[in-house]
Every structure is written in structure tokens, then in C-alpha cells.
Amino acid sequence: HVLPKHLEGIVSQLRATKDVEVAVFLYQSDTEDFKVSMRSGNLVDVSEIAVKYGGGHAKAAGVTMKGTEEEIRDLILADIASVLENV
């Protein structure tokens, strides 16, 4: 009986962990829809990644994406890795 509002603080807690630059939390909201929440420190502007998929906000971005958990995870992680390679 967990509601989406109960999940809102998880990604912020992940980001608060020592030496974590970017935290990503995704959960399934419908058959093929996943909510993706991202938080970052100073090196990655997660809004650039979220905007690519229809979301936004510089340090705290979110977006709803269609696909499998693995597909979405791989896309987001590849985007973060690409940004970090250029830092």
C-alpha cells in the first residue's frame, strides 16, 4: 500500500550519502511507465538529462519514461556517465 508520495524522499537520502554525486531512483507507476527522480551535487546538471526525456530542474529533476526498468536504467546511467566524462 505504498503511494508515490511515500517515495519522494528516497532519492534525496541516496544523494546525501558520502561521495555520491548523482542519485537516481525509479519506480514503476503503470504497466510501461516509470517515474525517474534524480538528484545531483555540483558536477552533473540532471536537468539536462531529464529535459532529454521531457522533465527538468537543475539539481532535482524528474521525468516519466516508458520502457522496461533495464532500458530506462541503462539510458539514464549512460547519460550520467557521458556528463561525468566531460567534467
Side-chain angles (χ1 to χ4, degrees):
H1 301 292
V2 176
L3 300 173
K5 68 180 183 178
H6 298 131
L7 304 173
E8 291 175 3
I10 291 174
V11 72
S12 295
Q13 289 299 315
L14 295 171
R15 172 59 192 96
T17 304
K18 183 181 178 196
D19 297 328
V20 171
E21 174 59 31
V22 179
V24 179
F25 180 73
L26 64 105
Y27 64 92
Q28 195 165 7
S29 60
D30 199 7
T31 304
E32 292 185 7
D33 288 343
F34 283 84
K35 297 282 188 180
V36 181
S37 295
M38 297 177 275
R39 301 292 183 272
S40 68
N42 296 318
L43 299 178
V44 178
D45 181 350
V46 290
S47 71
E48 291 179 7
I49 296 168
V51 165
K52 185 175 177 179
Y53 304 104
H57 295 306
K59 303 280 184 187
V63 63
T64 300
M65 297 174 67
K66 289 194 178 297
T68 68
E69 180 180 351
E70 292 80 12
E71 291 168 339
I72 294 168
R73 179 198 61 217
D74 292 347
L75 286 170
I76 297 296
L77 291 179
D79 290 336
I80 292 169
S82 177
V83 172
L84 287 173
E85 286 174 4
N86 296 314
V87 172

